[in-house]
Amino acid sequence: MGENHRVFIDDPSLNDSQCFDDDGRLKRTGTFWTASAHIITAVIGSGVLSLAWAIAQLGWIAGPAVMLLFSIITFYTSCLLTDCYRTGDPVSGKRNYTYTQAVGSLLGGCKVKVCGFIQYVNLFGVSIGYTIAASISMM
């Protein structure tokens, strides 16, 4: 993952084909429904398994309030990430296919390494957390 898969054809008349995007990659064929399915499968994961426990710990008032707060935060950060998809012009600007590309094109320099480090530390911590949660669940 994270590799650039570009298709370049020597014949310029074929590069203007309806099969390719403006950056030379094959056009995406997703629809609203496929995007919705991907979002649902990303959101409904291991977090749903701990939802009942979280509500039991927080109660019926604080539990839904915290869920609403986190849903607002998730919506806001996803809007920010969506705004970073293209650099420059939102319609014809350069596409950023990865989070690292977005950070590099918008912030640049040393900040790419700092954000990458934080991202990998977060991934490492989440992996440890899931491992501990899974082992506790198996006991």
Side-chain angles (χ1 to χ4, degrees):
M1 292 187 95
E3 297 177 13
N4 291 333
H5 298 289
R6 294 185 182 160
V7 177
F8 293 104
I9 299 175
D10 292 334
D11 186 2
S13 65
L14 293 176
N15 280 334
D16 293 335
S17 171
Q18 293 182 354
C19 297
F20 298 102
D21 278 336
D22 55 357
D23 58 352
R25 292 185 184 211
L26 289 173
K27 278 196 175 187
R28 293 172 295 270
T29 58
T31 64
F32 172 79
W33 295 109
T34 57
S36 299
H38 284 293
I39 291 170
I40 289 169
T41 57
V43 172
I44 299 178
S46 58
V48 169
L49 300 176
S50 62
L51 187 60
W53 178 83
I55 296 296
Q57 298 300 312
L58 293 172
W60 282 103
I61 296 173
V66 169
M67 281 192 339
L68 181 65
L69 174 70
F70 282 127
S71 67
I72 292 169
I73 292 170
T74 301
F75 177 73
Y76 177 69
T77 56
S78 64
C79 288
L80 289 177
L81 192 58
T82 303
D83 289 341
C84 295
Y85 178 62
R86 286 192 184 257
T87 303
D89 186 62
V91 175
S92 62
K94 177 190 168 289
R95 285 194 178 118
N96 299 308
Y97 288 97
T98 64
Y99 179 75
T100 307
Q101 283 180 344
V103 171
S105 64
L106 295 170
L107 300 177
C110 181
K111 295 176 184 171
V112 174
K113 293 179 182 176
V114 171
C115 286
F117 176 75
I118 292 170
Q119 191 175 11
Y120 284 120
V121 166
N122 183 29
L123 181 62
F124 182 74
V126 167
S127 299
I128 290 173
Y130 279 131
T131 303
I132 291 171
S135 63
I136 289 173
S137 296
M138 288 171 37
M139 287 193 325

PDB file of all heavy atoms in Angstrom, residues 5 11 35 43 51-52 57 70-71 84 92 95-96 102 105 118 122 126:
ATOM      1  N   HIS A   5       0.588   3.849  -8.354  1.00  0.00           N
ATOM      2  CA  HIS A   5       0.298   2.965  -9.478  1.00  0.00           C
ATOM      3  C   HIS A   5      -0.221   3.818 -10.618  1.00  0.00           C
ATOM      4  O   HIS A   5      -1.414   4.066 -10.728  1.00  0.00           O
ATOM      5  CB  HIS A   5      -0.733   1.899  -9.094  1.00  0.00           C
ATOM      6  CG  HIS A   5      -0.263   1.006  -8.000  1.00  0.00           C
ATOM      7  ND1 HIS A   5       0.718   0.079  -8.187  1.00  0.00           N
ATOM      8  CD2 HIS A   5      -0.616   0.930  -6.697  1.00  0.00           C
ATOM      9  CE1 HIS A   5       0.935  -0.559  -7.055  1.00  0.00           C
ATOM     10  NE2 HIS A   5       0.129  -0.047  -6.131  1.00  0.00           N
ATOM     11  N   ASP A  11       1.198   6.382 -26.539  1.00  0.00           N
ATOM     12  CA  ASP A  11       0.348   7.037 -27.520  1.00  0.00           C
ATOM     13  C   ASP A  11      -0.462   8.144 -26.833  1.00  0.00           C
ATOM     14  O   ASP A  11      -1.319   7.869 -25.998  1.00  0.00           O
ATOM     15  CB  ASP A  11      -0.601   6.014 -28.146  1.00  0.00           C
ATOM     16  CG  ASP A  11      -1.417   6.592 -29.289  1.00  0.00           C
ATOM     17  OD1 ASP A  11      -1.217   7.791 -29.613  1.00  0.00           O
ATOM     18  OD2 ASP A  11      -2.238   5.855 -29.844  1.00  0.00           O
ATOM     19  N   ALA A  35     -18.802   3.931  -1.402  1.00  0.00           N
ATOM     20  CA  ALA A  35     -18.141   4.774  -0.403  1.00  0.00           C
ATOM     21  C   ALA A  35     -18.809   4.613   0.958  1.00  0.00           C
ATOM     22  O   ALA A  35     -18.128   4.511   1.992  1.00  0.00           O
ATOM     23  CB  ALA A  35     -18.168   6.237  -0.837  1.00  0.00           C
ATOM     24  N   VAL A  43     -15.981   2.123  10.309  1.00  0.00           N
ATOM     25  CA  VAL A  43     -16.492   2.586  11.599  1.00  0.00           C
ATOM     26  C   VAL A  43     -16.964   1.421  12.455  1.00  0.00           C
ATOM     27  O   VAL A  43     -16.714   1.368  13.652  1.00  0.00           O
ATOM     28  CB  VAL A  43     -17.622   3.613  11.378  1.00  0.00           C
ATOM     29  CG1 VAL A  43     -18.305   3.962  12.678  1.00  0.00           C
ATOM     30  CG2 VAL A  43     -17.064   4.862  10.730  1.00  0.00           C
ATOM     31  N   LEU A  51     -18.710  -0.868  22.732  1.00  0.00           N
ATOM     32  CA  LEU A  51     -19.713   0.166  22.923  1.00  0.00           C
ATOM     33  C   LEU A  51     -20.597  -0.098  24.141  1.00  0.00           C
ATOM     34  O   LEU A  51     -20.838   0.803  24.947  1.00  0.00           O
ATOM     35  CB  LEU A  51     -20.571   0.289  21.660  1.00  0.00           C
ATOM     36  CG  LEU A  51     -21.557   1.431  21.608  1.00  0.00           C
ATOM     37  CD1 LEU A  51     -20.835   2.759  21.735  1.00  0.00           C
ATOM     38  CD2 LEU A  51     -22.339   1.376  20.307  1.00  0.00           C
ATOM     39  N   ALA A  52     -21.056  -1.322  24.299  1.00  0.00           N
ATOM     40  CA  ALA A  52     -21.915  -1.645  25.445  1.00  0.00           C
ATOM     41  C   ALA A  52     -21.170  -1.453  26.759  1.00  0.00           C
ATOM     42  O   ALA A  52     -21.720  -0.919  27.729  1.00  0.00           O
ATOM     43  CB  ALA A  52     -22.420  -3.073  25.323  1.00  0.00           C
ATOM     44  N   GLN A  57     -20.111   1.846  31.655  1.00  0.00           N
ATOM     45  CA  GLN A  57     -19.196   2.558  32.546  1.00  0.00           C
ATOM     46  C   GLN A  57     -19.595   4.023  32.719  1.00  0.00           C
ATOM     47  O   GLN A  57     -19.456   4.576  33.806  1.00  0.00           O
ATOM     48  CB  GLN A  57     -17.762   2.479  31.998  1.00  0.00           C
ATOM     49  CG  GLN A  57     -17.212   1.073  31.908  1.00  0.00           C
ATOM     50  CD  GLN A  57     -17.179   0.377  33.257  1.00  0.00           C
ATOM     51  OE1 GLN A  57     -16.726   0.933  34.239  1.00  0.00           O
ATOM     52  NE2 GLN A  57     -17.689  -0.838  33.299  1.00  0.00           N
ATOM     53  N   PHE A  70     -17.698  12.627  20.339  1.00  0.00           N
ATOM     54  CA  PHE A  70     -16.702  11.993  19.482  1.00  0.00           C
ATOM     55  C   PHE A  70     -17.174  11.907  18.030  1.00  0.00           C
ATOM     56  O   PHE A  70     -16.361  11.950  17.111  1.00  0.00           O
ATOM     57  CB  PHE A  70     -16.314  10.624  20.014  1.00  0.00           C
ATOM     58  CG  PHE A  70     -15.347  10.697  21.162  1.00  0.00           C
ATOM     59  CD1 PHE A  70     -15.615  10.061  22.353  1.00  0.00           C
ATOM     60  CD2 PHE A  70     -14.177  11.407  21.056  1.00  0.00           C
ATOM     61  CE1 PHE A  70     -14.738  10.128  23.419  1.00  0.00           C
ATOM     62  CE2 PHE A  70     -13.286  11.495  22.108  1.00  0.00           C
ATOM     63  CZ  PHE A  70     -13.567  10.857  23.290  1.00  0.00           C
ATOM     64  N   SER A  71     -18.486  11.787  17.812  1.00  0.00           N
ATOM     65  CA  SER A  71     -18.967  11.783  16.428  1.00  0.00           C
ATOM     66  C   SER A  71     -18.773  13.149  15.786  1.00  0.00           C
ATOM     67  O   SER A  71     -18.437  13.247  14.599  1.00  0.00           O
ATOM     68  CB  SER A  71     -20.430  11.361  16.367  1.00  0.00           C
ATOM     69  OG  SER A  71     -21.251  12.330  16.973  1.00  0.00           O
ATOM     70  N   CYS A  84      -7.859  18.298   2.408  1.00  0.00           N
ATOM     71  CA  CYS A  84      -6.443  18.101   2.079  1.00  0.00           C
ATOM     72  C   CYS A  84      -6.231  17.155   0.906  1.00  0.00           C
ATOM     73  O   CYS A  84      -5.102  16.899   0.515  1.00  0.00           O
ATOM     74  CB  CYS A  84      -5.694  17.541   3.290  1.00  0.00           C
ATOM     75  SG  CYS A  84      -5.639  18.662   4.673  1.00  0.00           S
ATOM     76  N   SER A  92      -8.937  21.119  -9.533  1.00  0.00           N
ATOM     77  CA  SER A  92      -7.899  20.689 -10.472  1.00  0.00           C
ATOM     78  C   SER A  92      -6.511  20.623  -9.852  1.00  0.00           C
ATOM     79  O   SER A  92      -5.535  20.456 -10.568  1.00  0.00           O
ATOM     80  CB  SER A  92      -7.872  21.633 -11.676  1.00  0.00           C
ATOM     81  OG  SER A  92      -7.553  22.951 -11.245  1.00  0.00           O
ATOM     82  N   ARG A  95      -3.427  15.826  -6.609  1.00  0.00           N
ATOM     83  CA  ARG A  95      -4.041  14.911  -5.652  1.00  0.00           C
ATOM     84  C   ARG A  95      -2.999  14.405  -4.663  1.00  0.00           C
ATOM     85  O   ARG A  95      -1.869  14.119  -5.017  1.00  0.00           O
ATOM     86  CB  ARG A  95      -4.656  13.715  -6.375  1.00  0.00           C
ATOM     87  CG  ARG A  95      -5.921  14.045  -7.064  1.00  0.00           C
ATOM     88  CD  ARG A  95      -6.648  12.781  -7.472  1.00  0.00           C
ATOM     89  NE  ARG A  95      -7.888  13.140  -8.102  1.00  0.00           N
ATOM     90  CZ  ARG A  95      -8.193  12.848  -9.349  1.00  0.00           C
ATOM     91  NH1 ARG A  95      -7.374  12.154 -10.076  1.00  0.00           N
ATOM     92  NH2 ARG A  95      -9.335  13.224  -9.851  1.00  0.00           N
ATOM     93  N   ASN A  96      -3.421  14.271  -3.415  1.00  0.00           N
ATOM     94  CA  ASN A  96      -2.612  13.648  -2.373  1.00  0.00           C
ATOM     95  C   ASN A  96      -3.272  12.320  -2.043  1.00  0.00           C
ATOM     96  O   ASN A  96      -4.344  12.291  -1.463  1.00  0.00           O
ATOM     97  CB  ASN A  96      -2.556  14.543  -1.130  1.00  0.00           C
ATOM     98  CG  ASN A  96      -1.928  15.880  -1.422  1.00  0.00           C
ATOM     99  OD1 ASN A  96      -0.850  15.960  -1.972  1.00  0.00           O
ATOM    100  ND2 ASN A  96      -2.628  16.946  -1.076  1.00  0.00           N
ATOM    101  N   ALA A 102      -0.202  14.426   1.749  1.00  0.00           N
ATOM    102  CA  ALA A 102      -0.947  15.637   2.112  1.00  0.00           C
ATOM    103  C   ALA A 102      -0.127  16.504   3.059  1.00  0.00           C
ATOM    104  O   ALA A 102      -0.040  17.724   2.882  1.00  0.00           O
ATOM    105  CB  ALA A 102      -2.280  15.266   2.741  1.00  0.00           C
ATOM    106  N   SER A 105       2.816  18.084   1.054  1.00  0.00           N
ATOM    107  CA  SER A 105       2.475  19.160   0.125  1.00  0.00           C
ATOM    108  C   SER A 105       1.925  20.391   0.835  1.00  0.00           C
ATOM    109  O   SER A 105       2.074  21.498   0.348  1.00  0.00           O
ATOM    110  CB  SER A 105       1.477  18.667  -0.917  1.00  0.00           C
ATOM    111  OG  SER A 105       0.265  18.318  -0.304  1.00  0.00           O
ATOM    112  N   ILE A 118       4.713  10.536  14.688  1.00  0.00           N
ATOM    113  CA  ILE A 118       3.527  10.489  15.548  1.00  0.00           C
ATOM    114  C   ILE A 118       2.537   9.441  15.041  1.00  0.00           C
ATOM    115  O   ILE A 118       1.941   8.699  15.825  1.00  0.00           O
ATOM    116  CB  ILE A 118       2.869  11.881  15.634  1.00  0.00           C
ATOM    117  CG1 ILE A 118       3.787  12.832  16.395  1.00  0.00           C
ATOM    118  CG2 ILE A 118       1.499  11.816  16.278  1.00  0.00           C
ATOM    119  CD1 ILE A 118       3.356  14.278  16.345  1.00  0.00           C
ATOM    120  N   ASN A 122       1.414   6.177  17.175  1.00  0.00           N
ATOM    121  CA  ASN A 122      -0.005   5.903  17.401  1.00  0.00           C
ATOM    122  C   ASN A 122      -0.357   4.492  16.932  1.00  0.00           C
ATOM    123  O   ASN A 122      -1.064   3.758  17.633  1.00  0.00           O
ATOM    124  CB  ASN A 122      -0.850   6.941  16.666  1.00  0.00           C
ATOM    125  CG  ASN A 122      -2.328   6.763  16.914  1.00  0.00           C
ATOM    126  OD1 ASN A 122      -2.734   6.272  17.961  1.00  0.00           O
ATOM    127  ND2 ASN A 122      -3.130   7.148  15.955  1.00  0.00           N
ATOM    128  N   VAL A 126      -1.799   1.594  19.369  1.00  0.00           N
ATOM    129  CA  VAL A 126      -3.091   0.961  19.097  1.00  0.00           C
ATOM    130  C   VAL A 126      -2.910  -0.550  18.942  1.00  0.00           C
ATOM    131  O   VAL A 126      -3.736  -1.334  19.425  1.00  0.00           O
ATOM    132  CB  VAL A 126      -3.752   1.587  17.842  1.00  0.00           C
ATOM    133  CG1 VAL A 126      -4.922   0.760  17.352  1.00  0.00           C
ATOM    134  CG2 VAL A 126      -4.199   3.005  18.145  1.00  0.00           C
TER     135      VAL A 126
END
